[in-house]
Amino acid sequence: MAGPAPRRAADLWWLHPTRIVLLALLPVYLAILAYDFSGVVKNVYIPSGLYFFGIVLLLALAAGIQWALAQPLQGPVAMPPQLSSGLMLALLVPALLSYVVWLGPLLGQPHLLLEIVAGERAEVRDAISTTPGVTTFTQFGVAYAIAYALKRGAGRQAMRAWEHAGMALLLGLAVFRAFAWAERLAVIEMLVCFAVAHMAYLPVASPRRWRMAAAVPVVAPLVLYLLFTASEYFRSWDYYVDQFDSVWAFTLDRLITYYATAANNGIGMLVDDTRWPYYQGAFALEWTYIMPGLGQLLDAAFGNPRAAASVWLATYARPEFNSPTAYFRIVLDLGYLGAVLCLLAIGYLIGRAYSGFRRGYTFGLLMYPVFVLFLIESLRYNYLGETRMVPLAIGIALIAIDIRRMRHGSVGQRPYADQSGLLG
């Protein structure tokens, strides 16, 4: 007698974007009220009316998601996609070459890495530099992680050995980048985008495994704390060893400080800058002002208010705690009403992507992993507005084109038969 059909990890309750906002982001944001800012920042802006307006923005984001989910997508569930080997190479090669250009010089300076291990330096930013327009293509690696997860999870094609090796190599380079460049986000974006995309077709075969998967949010904060502690032990513990009783107390304080100071920084810029809203996109879509060529054109046409914001952060924020959140940067650009409408619109897109993700539609499969990354980073960082989003968006567009091409006339692929019930 056959057992029950397996369920998809995509249907797990905690992957629902509204729950991410209301059960994860909002409680963390509310907890900032209890944080002791003394000795951390020069000026404290919490609590304040702007802090409570941040709650309105989070609720607007959740409302936009629910608005989209109240309009169910029509049409049949899509067949899992196929992706060509050419597409995988087109994503992998530029990412690897960008890493070679960027981090290759460290091969001739191994002493820099030894100094990090010995606690004599925190990272190598002062010894090597990025190349605008070249090193940003390491972000093709994140697009590769999404493509790899979908191709592997869909099960319609045999994976080649070099595709597995490419994923392992990109993840290893991201870990090295976090160590040498002090950029943990490089690892977070690879893991989050891979994990979410992989869950689109991941079967959970038994009720016991389903219950275990449903309980992931219970253990996830502990895992996050352990990983954060491991990274901070090598990154900065030697600088603070005399100020804390243990590395565990230090990293817990530091993890909370990242979120608390981000909200304080964002509010502080609004309080001290009387010229907003700018209506220029310089904060909500910061990449437009950093892109070579385009940035100079926008500067000449509209001016660039980012310079004043940078001065504020250099004056009032500590260098290691200088994030200003996604939410208050949108307020700088669009004002109160504009920010609420913008968050409603972003929420709507996230809700549509989530619906498409569960039904196997290309937009949802490719963008929902990125939207989850945006959500979990939004209290500190506007992932959608940063330069690293541009090559990732290009990579996602290439994947979408390849999926469409493979659906219309591809030959030579292994036939697919859904016997699991996951598509019904």
Side-chain angles (χ1 to χ4, degrees):
M1 180 176 170
R7 302 167 75 177
R8 281 195 309 162
D11 296 328
L12 285 164
W13 70 271
W14 48 263
L15 203 57
H16 192 295
T18 306
R19 291 167 185 155
I20 295 175
V21 175
L22 297 182
L23 301 181
L25 301 185
L26 186 58
V28 170
Y29 186 78
L30 292 173
I32 293 172
L33 274 176
Y35 181 76
D36 182 6
F37 287 92
S38 63
V40 180
V41 294
K42 295 180 179 180
N43 297 330
V44 180
Y45 302 92
I46 297 174
S48 65
L50 281 166
Y51 167 81
F52 291 106
F53 183 68
I55 298 174
V56 174
L57 295 177
L58 284 166
L59 294 177
L61 182 63
I65 295 169
Q66 288 301 114
W67 175 29
L69 296 180
Q71 306 170 50
L73 292 175
Q74 302 299 320
V77 175
M79 291 288 287
Q82 298 182 75
L83 296 98
S84 69
S85 295
L87 178 276
M88 302 300 286
L89 275 175
L91 299 175
L92 179 61
V93 171
L96 293 180
L97 290 177
S98 296
Y99 271 116
V100 169
V101 172
W102 181 11
L103 301 178
L106 289 176
L107 294 176
Q109 306 176 73
H111 64 280
L112 296 176
L113 302 178
L114 294 176
E115 289 173 5
I116 295 177
V117 174
E120 297 172 6
R121 65 163 58 232
E123 25 80 359
V124 298
R125 292 175 187 248
D126 60 336
I128 63 173
S129 61
T130 59
T131 304
V134 176
T135 50
T136 50
F137 277 87
T138 56
Q139 293 305 105
F140 266 35
V142 184
Y144 184 91
I146 294 173
Y148 174 84
L150 292 175
K151 187 172 184 178
R152 181 180 178 184
R156 300 186 66 185
Q157 302 161 275
M159 298 288 293
R160 300 187 179 186
W162 65 262
E163 293 175 320
H164 298 301
M167 181 64 193
L169 183 56
L170 287 172
L171 183 56
L173 286 168
V175 172
F176 179 77
R177 178 173 163 186
F179 168 73
W181 199 256
E183 188 182 4
R184 275 184 296 260
L185 183 58
V187 178
I188 293 171
E189 60 190 353
M190 287 286 291
L191 292 178
V192 169
C193 287
F194 168 80
V196 175
H198 188 57
M199 284 193 284
Y201 298 106
L202 178 65
V204 183
S206 68
R208 178 174 176 271
R209 290 184 178 179
W210 183 263
R211 289 193 297 270
M212 291 175 62
V216 163
V218 177
V219 298
L222 177 60
V223 174
L224 170 65
Y225 174 52
L226 292 175
L227 293 175
F228 182 78
T229 298
S231 66
E232 285 295 331
Y233 181 82
F234 293 103
R235 180 183 181 186
S236 57
W237 172 235
D238 284 341
Y239 297 96
Y240 296 94
V241 65
D242 296 327
Q243 301 177 32
F244 292 86
D245 295 333
S246 69
V247 67
W248 304 103
F250 161 67
T251 53
L252 180 59
D253 177 82
R254 194 169 180 84
L255 184 60
I256 297 170
T257 300
Y258 275 116
Y259 292 98
T261 54
N264 193 70
N265 292 339
I267 294 169
M269 284 192 289
L270 289 171
V271 171
D272 295 337
D273 186 343
T274 59
R275 295 168 296 174
W276 60 276
Y278 289 98
Y279 300 115
Q280 295 176 9
F283 299 100
L285 294 174
E286 189 171 4
W287 62 266
T288 58
Y289 279 77
I290 300 177
M291 285 285 289
L294 177 60
Q296 287 80 353
L297 290 174
L298 292 173
D299 279 351
F302 305 110
N304 189 353
R306 291 176 57 254
S310 298
V311 170
W312 190 98
L313 289 171
T315 304
Y316 297 107
R318 288 172 56 172
E320 67 269 43
F321 301 122
N322 60 1
S323 297
T325 84
Y327 302 100
F328 296 116
R329 289 179 80 77
I330 294 175
V331 177
L332 272 173
D333 258 341
L334 302 177
Y336 295 117
L337 178 60
V340 170
L341 295 176
C342 180
L343 267 298
L344 277 170
I346 292 174
Y348 184 84
L349 286 175
I350 293 173
R352 298 296 282 184
Y354 176 65
S355 292
F357 173 77
R358 296 181 66 198
R359 296 180 69 81
Y361 295 170
T362 300
F363 175 73
L365 292 174
L366 299 182
M367 284 304 301
Y368 191 60
V370 180
F371 284 141
V372 171
L373 180 62
F374 162 76
L375 288 175
I376 64 177
E377 285 292 320
S378 62
L379 291 180
R380 294 194 318 109
Y381 185 80
N382 181 12
Y383 192 90
L384 297 179
E386 298 293 331
T387 52
R388 65 197 309 130
M389 183 62 200
V390 177
L392 173 54
I394 295 172
I396 286 174
L398 292 176
I399 300 172
I401 292 170
D402 189 70
I403 289 174
R404 180 178 177 83
R405 183 181 66 83
M406 295 290 284
R407 281 177 174 167
H408 294 81
S410 64
V411 295
Q413 302 294 340
R414 188 172 66 185
Y416 177 81
D418 175 34
Q419 298 175 344
S420 65
L422 295 183
L423 296 178

